[in-house]
Amino acid sequence: MGDQGSDRALAAPPTAGGLGEQGGRVPPSLARRGTKSLLQPPDRLGILHGSSRSLVKPQPSGKSLMHPPEKLAMMQGSSAKLTMKGSSAKQQVQVQGSGRLSPEALGSLSPMSPARRQGTPGSGGRPGTSDSSGRPGTSGSSGSPVVRRKVLEPPKEVELPKSNETETQAVHLSPDKAEEMRQRLSLFSTSTAKHSLRMQGATFNMNAIVTCRSMCAFSSRPEGGNQVAVILDPHRQYASRTIKRMAEVCVEYLIVVVQPNESLEDVDFGGFYARIIMLTPGGPTIKTMAPSLVMAATQAILDNCDSMPQFAPLSEGSTITLRAESPVRPSWKDDVEVRINLDGSIWQQVPAPKLQTIVSPREVCEALNINMLALQTDMPIQIVQCVGKHMIVPIRSRRVIQDLDPLADLISEVCRNCGCDGMHLFAMDARAGGLVYTRNLSPLVHMQEEAASASPNAALTAYLHLHRIHPIDNDDTVLCEQGYTIGMKPRPSKISVQLSLIPAQRPETGSELGKGLTAQNHWLGDALGDQVTKERYISKGDRYTSNITDQSRFNLPKGFYERRDAIALKRKINMERAKRQGLVYKEEVKPHQSTAILPPTMSHPAPIDACWVGGTCVPSIVPTYEIRI
């Protein structure tokens, strides 16, 4: 018995006939180390007898004070050997270089190895028998035990559909018992089938390639209008988290995901046609942005519905309902009625505009950084409510709007104090065949300037009608120009607005005055078209001004001044005649008559029952591109 590099011999416990070769005493080398007794009772250690090996069942009475041979071998160095002494045979096992026993050594030394406990096939249940060729399961002359180790099968692989396929095939998983138990214990599953489908969908969406369609809303050219990214999801496979991740990758600022209604029969019986999910990176999608997203989604469906049977048939001349929603908090949902005309234009209904309070021009001019003379002073600055609340600001000319240098901080402060979303400027001298030239500034709702604004232009059209500025008949189309002065690169847009007027009737919706609304919204007038602007009423006095010529302040009859001079001359002659006769001249008192011809009783403009906003939508310069989610 030497140092750690030498062989160590362990004394075997006494057999049934007497003590072992060491007489049952502990070797001196171990006694000097002060270790505890490493002897084990015979029932814990297999004793070698010649070429055969016998295993005695452990007795429940005694405890083992000796470390297992494989553990003791690992505590020694990399070159340690284990020697087990029996009555007539000695077996040595070399320890591997890492301090661990090889699998064959563990099988031969461990009394609880699978080969000793169960035996091998072909040996009649006797443990540790092999044939002369060394194959397990037969008995041979060598008598060396061979352990059969269980080979673990690799996990089953499930082939998922590729991301570039047009249709997703359902994958039916067949998990084994262990997989079923794992699914039942999972925190995300309520049943095994649902869990497997969730795992399948999550795996499918990871690292997938999605096609985005870039559309330009409210424009007839590919470089104008609001640019919107449309993602068609006919199989409804994208979860809310995946959709938000896609919005961060898209190039456009406005993103919409279109999913069809699950039931085509529901669409035929008046249900919503499709579900559109609207996103804007950096915050929630406000409702004033919805018309551009709805128009782009409708045009994308119209262009691709023939290749997607999941959507109901859609053609020009039809009317559908889209369920629009914003998943980012504060979230909202709303149903939008969409009409597709035969000329390809897309129209959607917005709430009927209502007039609200009038704003002082001093703060507005300070925020817009303009002089008071730049305003159209005979038109009030007023807040009009449509989808949102917009401050309508009349400007004298288009040049003032083009050269404008506004202050965004002051605009936000003024809009916050007045309770509106932004300022909508307009001038009556349009440049491209429209009626008004507009510009929208809404820094308070994270839109420094928008290329095409549907809700503010609808509010502006109602403002022109209710203030008798422009003659508007029932279902007349008012064309508004916008986007010509946005940033370094203009994005020209044209927004069409139609008002449904009901003469001398009260609208069914919104009959009661809301907070901030004026009584002018509920005047039961019957004036339409030219009757609205025949005589404009100036609220600052009792004067009437002609809409054709603003030079004269009165409508006087022909020869008024000549008759007045003749009457004055006749009065002087009568007074002189009475004076010569010594009489007192006294005129007959006549009732007062107005010198001007008063206009007929003014008829108020007809109330607004409904409002439609429309335009055209075309693909942008890069119509499609792919993103990876």
Side-chain angles (χ1 to χ4, degrees):
M1 306 301 176
D3 299 334
Q4 294 181 2
S6 61
D7 298 343
R8 298 181 181 274
L10 300 180
T15 60
L19 297 175
E21 296 181 3
Q22 297 292 339
R25 292 176 295 176
V26 180
S29 60
L30 298 178
R32 286 194 301 270
R33 294 177 180 270
T35 59
K36 296 181 181 180
S37 176
L38 302 179
L39 293 180
Q40 289 187 352
D43 54 351
R44 300 290 294 178
L45 185 64
I47 303 176
L48 303 177
H49 295 281
S51 60
S52 63
R53 175 174 298 181
S54 61
L55 181 64
V56 183
K57 289 186 177 181
Q59 301 295 332
S61 59
K63 286 187 177 181
S64 174
L65 301 178
M66 182 176 178
H67 291 290
E70 59 273 18
K71 185 173 182 181
L72 183 61
M74 288 188 289
M75 295 191 325
Q76 308 303 327
S78 60
S79 61
K81 293 183 179 180
L82 293 180
T83 305
M84 297 184 61
K85 294 185 178 181
S87 58
S88 60
K90 182 182 295 184
Q91 186 179 13
Q92 296 182 351
V93 180
Q94 183 70 30
V95 182
Q96 297 178 356
S98 61
R100 299 177 181 271
L101 290 175
S102 62
E104 293 81 1
L106 289 176
S108 62
L109 292 178
S110 177
M112 299 300 293
S113 62
R116 294 186 180 184
R117 184 170 62 253
Q118 299 178 0
T120 57
S123 61
R126 296 192 304 273
T129 58
S130 62
D131 57 0
S132 58
S133 61
R135 291 178 297 178
T138 58
S139 60
S141 59
S142 61
S144 60
V146 179
V147 180
R148 172 179 291 178
R149 303 185 62 190
K150 183 178 179 181
V151 180
L152 298 178
E153 298 180 358
K156 298 180 180 180
E157 298 182 357
V158 179
E159 184 178 357
L160 296 176
K162 298 181 181 180
S163 58
N164 56 357
E165 293 180 354
T166 57
E167 295 185 2
T168 305
Q169 300 177 356
V171 179
H172 299 282
L173 303 178
S174 57
D176 53 3
K177 297 296 183 181
E179 179 68 12
E180 289 183 2
M181 181 60 66
R182 187 191 67 80
Q183 292 172 359
R184 290 172 183 171
L185 296 179
S186 175
L187 298 177
F188 304 99
S189 64
T190 55
S191 63
T192 57
K194 187 173 181 180
H195 178 78
S196 60
L197 292 177
R198 286 190 177 184
M199 296 294 293
Q200 168 197 348
T203 309
F204 175 77
N205 290 332
M206 291 179 60
N207 206 21
I209 297 177
V210 180
T211 302
C212 296
R213 293 168 174 82
S214 182
M215 310 293 291
C216 295
F218 294 105
S219 177
S220 58
R221 57 179 71 179
E223 63 274 3
N226 287 335
Q227 198 169 1
V228 183
V230 182
I231 301 174
L232 298 177
D233 184 16
H235 304 284
R236 299 178 296 276
Q237 60 186 355
Y238 299 131
S240 178
R241 182 177 300 179
T242 307
I243 293 174
K244 295 177 183 178
R245 189 166 64 249
M246 287 190 294
E248 299 174 356
V249 185
C250 291
V251 180
E252 293 79 7
Y253 180 72
L254 302 175
I255 301 97
V256 58
V257 180
V258 185
Q259 297 177 348
N261 193 346
E262 298 181 2
S263 174
L264 297 180
E265 297 180 356
D266 188 20
V267 178
D268 298 336
F269 286 97
F272 69 95
Y273 181 84
R275 172 173 172 253
I276 58 175
I277 304 171
M278 299 177 290
L279 292 163
T280 50
T285 304
I286 60 176
K287 286 190 177 183
T288 54
M289 301 179 184
S292 299
L293 296 166
V294 170
M295 175 175 290
T298 306
Q299 186 65 41
I301 297 173
L302 191 63
D303 295 341
N304 302 273
C305 65
D306 295 338
S307 60
M308 295 184 300
Q310 293 82 4
F311 288 92
L314 185 63
S315 60
E316 297 176 351
S318 57
T319 302
I320 60 175
T321 301
L322 297 179
R323 178 158 296 176
E325 63 179 75
S326 175
V328 182
R329 294 184 179 179
S331 59
W332 55 270
K333 292 183 181 180
D334 195 7
D335 290 346
V336 182
E337 186 177 356
V338 180
R339 184 185 69 208
I340 305 175
N341 288 354
L342 296 177
D343 58 354
S345 60
I346 300 174
W347 295 79
Q348 51 190 304
Q349 188 175 5
V350 296
K354 303 291 183 182
L355 297 181
Q356 289 194 349
T357 57
I358 295 178
V359 183
S360 174
R362 186 184 301 274
E363 298 178 355
V364 176
C365 291
E366 184 180 358
L368 295 177
N369 197 14
I370 59 176
N371 196 296
M372 291 280 290
L373 297 177
L375 297 177
Q376 191 74 21
T377 55
D378 59 341
M379 303 178 189
I381 301 177
Q382 193 169 15
I383 297 176
V384 184
Q385 178 181 355
C386 188
V387 179
K389 296 181 180 180
H390 314 283
M391 184 185 299
I392 307 300
V393 183
I395 304 296
R396 186 174 296 275
S397 65
R398 183 180 72 241
R399 186 180 296 274
V400 177
I401 297 180
Q402 293 176 349
D403 300 338
L404 200 63
D405 186 16
L407 304 177
D409 296 339
L410 290 181
I411 292 177
S412 301
E413 183 179 356
V414 172
C415 294
R416 188 182 298 108
N417 296 336
C418 296
C420 61
D421 297 336
M423 296 183 181
H424 194 64
L425 287 65
F426 77 96
M428 298 300 295
D429 50 342
R431 57 173 294 178
L435 175 64
V436 289
Y437 183 88
T438 65
R439 186 174 180 182
N440 184 262
L441 304 174
S442 303
L444 185 61
V445 290
H446 308 289
M447 286 190 303
Q448 194 73 16
E449 187 169 354
E450 196 175 8
S453 305
S455 177
N457 284 289
L460 172 61
T461 305
Y463 173 92
L464 297 177
H465 170 68
L466 296 177
H467 284 285
R468 305 173 181 272
I469 299 174
H470 181 76
I472 299 177
D473 206 343
N474 188 22
D475 293 337
D476 278 354
T477 301
V478 177
L479 188 60
C480 305
E481 301 175 1
Q482 188 179 345
Y484 289 90
T485 56
I486 176 172
M488 299 295 294
K489 186 177 181 181
R491 300 189 64 86
S493 311
K494 291 186 177 180
I495 302 97
S496 301
V497 183
Q498 289 182 356
L499 297 179
S500 297
L501 306 176
I502 47 176
Q505 296 182 15
R506 191 178 299 277
E508 297 180 359
T509 59
S511 58
E512 297 181 0
L513 285 177
K515 183 178 180 180
L517 299 179
T518 61
Q520 188 177 354
N521 297 286
H522 301 283
W523 287 349
L524 298 181
D526 55 356
L528 295 175
D530 295 336
Q531 297 179 2
V532 178
T533 57
K534 187 175 181 180
E535 293 293 336
R536 276 174 41 195
Y537 176 71
I538 305 303
S539 60
K540 295 183 179 180
D542 57 351
R543 306 298 185 185
Y544 292 91
T545 306
S546 174
N547 190 39
I548 301 175
T549 59
D550 293 335
Q551 298 177 1
S552 62
R553 300 184 61 184
F554 301 97
N555 285 329
L556 300 178
K558 187 178 180 180
F560 170 78
Y561 294 102
E562 290 79 1
R563 287 195 299 269
R564 188 183 63 174
D565 294 341
I567 293 173
L569 180 59
K570 186 178 180 180
R571 183 185 301 110
K572 288 183 179 180
I573 294 173
N574 293 334
M575 290 177 63
E576 185 66 23
R577 182 182 295 116
K579 183 177 180 182
R580 289 181 180 182
Q581 295 177 1
L583 301 176
V584 178
Y585 177 77
K586 186 176 181 181
E587 290 185 345
E588 183 182 358
V589 180
K590 296 181 179 180
H592 174 73
Q593 294 182 357
S594 177
T595 56
I597 299 178
L598 297 179
T601 305
M602 181 175 295
S603 179
H604 297 299
I608 302 174
D609 183 44
C611 182
W612 291 79
V613 179
T616 57
C617 184
V618 295
S620 62
I621 299 178
V622 182
T624 59
Y625 62 92
E626 294 181 347
I627 60 174
R628 187 181 297 274
I629 59 174

